[in-house]
Amino acid sequence: MSNSTRDRSVQPPTGESEPARKRGPLGRLGRLLYWVLPVAILALILARIDLGVLIETVRDSRPVLYLLGICLFPTTLLIGSIRWRLLIRQYLGRTEGLGYLLRHYCIGLSVSIFLPGQIGMDIYRIAIAGRRFRRYVPNIAVVLEEKMLSAVVCVGLVLGLTPWIDVDGNSSVLASILDVAYALAIGLGSTVAILFLVTRLAAARRLAGLVSRRLKRAIVSILQRVGVDTARVGPLPPIDEIFGPLSRPRELLPVALLSMASFVALGLANQLFLAALNYDLPFAVSLFVVSVTFFAVSIPISFAGLGVREGAFILVLGLFDVPAESALVVSFFSLSGMLLNYAIGGAAILANRRDAVALASKTQ
């Protein structure tokens, strides 16, 4: 099969799926808040800082260190693509060229700027990989495991780094962060344990079968919204087959290590940004900061995490006696790194106009 045939774009939604796209009053209000809230948060932040100090902080920064930090952001695209490739091999028993997956990983990231919590990236990758391998459900499991293990690694970093950092600011903020981290650790641990039991115990599989019918309807609804021919979905495989790799810890370790590598790359970038502003903080602090802000930006309340990212940087870096103006500059540095990754995704779209057509059908 030629690459041109296998790489056809997902067809745009048909008229039959249009009713599912209509929004009620609450849906329209939520959409309005999604676009207005980031602007409101940014306005509130800018109203509370000294713009003169902010401008002086930027002027006194060291550009070379900033540029070195920016260069680390594209490495997360490569790490994410390698992780995606590994998960596809685990779940589908097949492999795919890294170049193909890297291109679509970049395109998926550019899609996520329009939707909250990188949902657009997840849907795009499910549609692309599902079309490629003619199996959508295992590719949904791929994305779910990826996000779950990233969250586990992130929570582990927050809890594991806390004893190694000295907090100069409000300790109640750190206590609140730890409370959330412990709650997430319990929730994630329980979810992994349940899925592990589902893959091992017959009684748990029967109970999961009751849930699978609702899951099938949800999957079909999501795929219809992005114009996928749901006739290809077929029957939902047994839950133990979908989440089989979760019962084999040796397969989880390399995925978790790749997620860790992504956080380390972002932590190094944050360390360089702080050094560019003449702050000499331990690397553990930078890793802690990017781990906390990861969860904050993942909250689906603003496009591209705008506003939420800035508030999170000011709050967390304030724990280490970094002024709000400097923390905001670090946040803007980080945002520029993300914009570089988005630009790479945009370039990948322009390199293949058929992918651009598929992208337009998802964001209209």
Side-chain angles (χ1 to χ4, degrees):
M1 185 180 296
S2 66
N3 288 337
S4 61
T5 302
R6 292 190 299 173
D7 203 29
R8 289 175 298 178
S9 56
V10 178
Q11 294 300 315
T14 62
E16 294 179 354
S17 63
E18 193 65 29
R21 294 162 41 145
K22 294 182 178 179
R23 301 179 184 274
L26 290 178
R28 288 192 292 270
L29 177 61
R31 193 64 178 171
L32 177 64
L33 289 175
Y34 172 70
W35 292 101
V36 172
L37 189 60
V39 178
I41 295 175
L42 279 177
L44 181 62
I45 291 173
L46 292 175
R48 292 175 176 269
I49 67 169
D50 189 325
L51 290 179
V53 174
L54 180 70
I55 295 172
E56 184 179 354
T57 301
V58 174
R59 186 173 60 244
D60 294 340
S61 64
R62 292 187 275 179
V64 173
L65 294 177
Y66 161 70
L67 292 174
L68 288 175
I70 288 294
C71 291
L72 286 170
F73 275 79
T75 64
T76 63
L77 299 176
L78 180 60
I79 293 170
S81 302
I82 295 173
R83 181 179 57 191
W84 187 20
R85 186 171 186 259
L86 178 61
L87 284 166
I88 287 176
R89 185 165 68 244
Q90 290 180 2
Y91 277 90
L92 285 87
R94 299 177 59 181
T95 188
E96 183 56 76
L98 182 59
Y100 175 87
L101 295 178
L102 176 61
R103 176 162 60 91
H104 284 290
Y105 192 91
C106 295
I107 293 173
L109 180 65
S110 68
V111 173
S112 69
I113 195 173
F114 300 106
L115 294 173
Q118 293 195 342
I119 294 174
M121 181 179 189
D122 298 333
I123 294 176
Y124 178 84
R125 288 193 295 149
I126 290 169
I128 286 294
R131 183 195 66 200
R132 186 80 158 185
F133 300 111
R134 307 297 182 182
R135 296 173 64 191
Y136 288 99
V137 175
N139 284 291
I140 293 174
V142 163
V143 170
L144 289 177
E145 181 180 324
E146 177 187 284
K147 298 184 80 68
M148 186 182 304
L149 288 181
S150 293
V152 168
V153 170
C154 189
V155 170
L157 286 172
V158 172
L159 297 178
L161 290 169
T162 301
W164 302 95
I165 58 179
D166 294 323
V167 175
D168 299 323
N170 191 345
S171 60
S172 64
V173 174
L174 179 61
S176 299
I177 292 173
L178 291 178
D179 287 342
V180 174
Y182 280 121
L184 288 170
I186 294 172
L188 290 168
S190 300
T191 301
V192 172
I194 290 171
L195 291 175
F196 180 82
L197 290 175
V198 164
T199 62
R200 291 301 181 97
L201 301 180
R205 287 198 296 269
R206 287 194 295 270
L207 179 61
L210 299 176
V211 180
S212 66
R213 286 190 289 272
R214 290 183 176 271
L215 181 61
K216 169 69 177 295
R217 288 196 292 269
I219 291 171
V220 170
S221 176
I222 292 173
L223 293 176
Q224 285 178 341
R225 286 175 180 269
V226 297
V228 174
D229 181 7
T230 54
R232 296 179 179 178
V233 175
L236 191 66
I239 297 295
D240 58 318
E241 178 183 332
I242 297 175
F243 294 103
L246 287 176
S247 65
R248 301 186 291 273
R250 67 181 181 278
E251 294 188 1
L252 301 181
L253 181 60
V255 180
L257 289 176
L258 286 169
S259 296
M260 176 74 76
S262 183
F263 282 111
V264 169
L266 293 175
L268 287 172
N270 191 81
Q271 186 77 358
L272 288 168
F273 294 155
L274 286 170
L277 300 183
N278 300 306
Y279 287 96
D280 185 18
L281 294 174
F283 176 66
V285 170
S286 290
L287 201 52
F288 180 84
V289 169
V290 298
S291 300
V292 174
T293 54
F294 170 82
F295 271 119
V297 174
S298 298
I299 299 174
I301 59 175
S302 72
F303 61 92
L306 196 62
V308 177
R309 176 188 296 101
E310 288 69 31
F313 269 97
I314 290 174
L315 182 67
V316 181
L317 283 174
L319 295 173
F320 307 99
D321 205 25
V322 177
E325 291 80 9
S326 297
L328 187 58
V329 172
V330 173
S331 173
F332 287 156
F333 285 173
S334 178
L335 176 61
S336 65
M338 289 302 302
L339 291 176
L340 173 61
N341 283 357
Y342 289 136
I344 293 173
I349 293 173
L350 293 177
N352 189 330
R353 297 185 61 87
R354 289 168 297 185
D355 289 327
V357 172
L359 172 62
S361 72
K362 294 177 179 63
T363 56
Q364 288 176 350

